[in-house]
Amino acid sequence: MSRPEVVVHRDGDLLAAATAARLVTSLVDAQTARGSASLVLTGGRTGIAVLENLRDTPARDAVDWTRVDLYWGDERFLPSGHPDRNETQAREALLDHVPVPVSRVHVMEPSDGRFGDDPDAAARAYAEVLAAAARPEDHGSVPSFDVCLLGVGEEGHVASIFPDSPAVHEGGRSVVGVRDCPKPPPTRVSLTLPAIRAAREVWLMTTGTAKADAVASALTGTAETELPAAGALGRRRTLWLLDSAAAEKVPDLPSA
């Protein structure tokens, strides 16, 4: 696993714009090296702002969107098309504006989907999607995502993995159903930390003073069971993308 690197931007708007530009380069580089690219999307204010900036930059057309596979790190277990679903927000922000084939958009099942109101069945189905996409060189049941985007919560959660929850202790499964989340909605589907750590690069994005303690703790050795963001590591690179407020308590660490 890689060691965390830190990049600090002046504010959240600049962070989102810079991350979108960084993402264009990463996807193009992946396509040049391997023919296609894979990206794990996240929700939240910053995650969606990145997609909106990507939509609005002319550089987005440098990416061959017909050769990008899109996954989600987690999903709110709500009906299809619900405005709070990460998928719905991602479609409005970016996916409806770029020519990604339907077959390459790998959504997590909604609560009115094939499995009804059963998040565990939805999680098993998504694990099967990941396993089918994994190649022999991935050495496991999860693809080696080129970039996994993650937000970070005030208590240090990533995806829908919360401190001292069953999900943070999961060591075998790649995807789990999550119940009783401390943030609404209470039921979700989420990648686990082992699945996140299959990514070549993990980018953790967050803004605001309220996140400063969690960011500092994650970067100074807090256990992942107490602060899941500490366990979100990329195989080749782990990049913390922060605004100045979220970085205000970060110790003097090497920057990217």
Side-chain angles (χ1 to χ4, degrees):
M1 291 292 106
S2 57
R3 292 177 58 84
E5 306 169 60
V6 178
V7 174
V8 180
H9 295 288
R10 181 183 64 246
D11 55 39
D13 290 343
L14 183 57
L15 186 158
T19 301
R22 185 186 294 272
L23 194 52
V24 168
T25 299
S26 293
L27 295 176
V28 170
D29 287 349
Q31 290 179 337
T32 300
R34 289 176 289 279
S36 63
S38 55
L39 172 64
V40 179
L41 301 176
T42 187
R45 183 177 63 249
T46 301
I48 298 304
V50 169
L51 299 187
E52 290 170 341
N53 274 271
L54 186 52
R55 175 194 67 205
D56 293 339
T57 176
R60 80 176 195 196
D61 294 331
V63 178
D64 182 350
W65 292 99
T66 67
R67 295 188 292 129
V68 177
D69 282 288
L70 297 169
Y71 301 88
W72 272 264
D74 73 326
E75 185 57 275
R76 296 163 176 139
F77 198 56
L78 296 167
S80 180
H82 192 287
D84 289 341
R85 272 180 63 87
N86 291 335
E87 175 203 352
T88 304
Q89 295 175 14
R91 289 189 184 280
E92 293 174 354
L94 175 67
L95 306 190
D96 290 345
H97 307 275
V98 292
V100 182
V102 172
S103 62
R104 287 185 177 268
V105 181
H106 307 287
V107 302
M108 293 177 168
E109 284 289 326
S111 62
D112 61 348
R114 291 182 295 156
F115 307 105
D117 195 20
D118 186 348
D120 298 314
R124 289 192 295 271
Y126 207 68
E128 292 173 1
V129 169
L130 298 182
R135 298 167 295 183
E137 57 266 33
D138 295 325
H139 304 293
S141 60
V142 178
S144 297
F145 310 115
D146 289 301
V147 178
C148 176
L149 300 175
L150 295 171
V152 181
E154 292 179 15
E155 73 296 273
H157 84 268
V158 290
S160 287
I161 308 170
F162 289 83
D164 200 28
S165 65
V168 80
H169 293 281
E170 180 60 52
R173 292 177 291 175
S174 59
V175 191
V176 292
V178 180
R179 293 179 170 83
D180 300 320
C181 286
K183 295 181 64 176
T187 306
R188 306 179 181 204
V189 177
S190 180
L191 299 190
T192 60
L193 287 176
I196 289 169
R197 289 193 285 257
R200 292 182 175 88
E201 297 194 13
V202 171
W203 299 2
L204 300 107
M205 310 172 294
T206 198
T207 63
T209 301
K211 311 292 182 64
D213 285 331
V215 170
S217 295
L219 290 169
T220 53
T222 299
E224 64 187 46
T225 52
E226 297 178 32
L227 204 149
L233 302 169
R235 291 191 291 109
R236 296 184 183 176
R237 194 177 201 194
T238 303
L239 193 58
W240 284 77
L241 299 162
L242 310 172
D243 74 350
S244 56
E248 65 183 14
K249 297 184 179 180
V250 175
D252 187 16
L253 292 174
S255 296

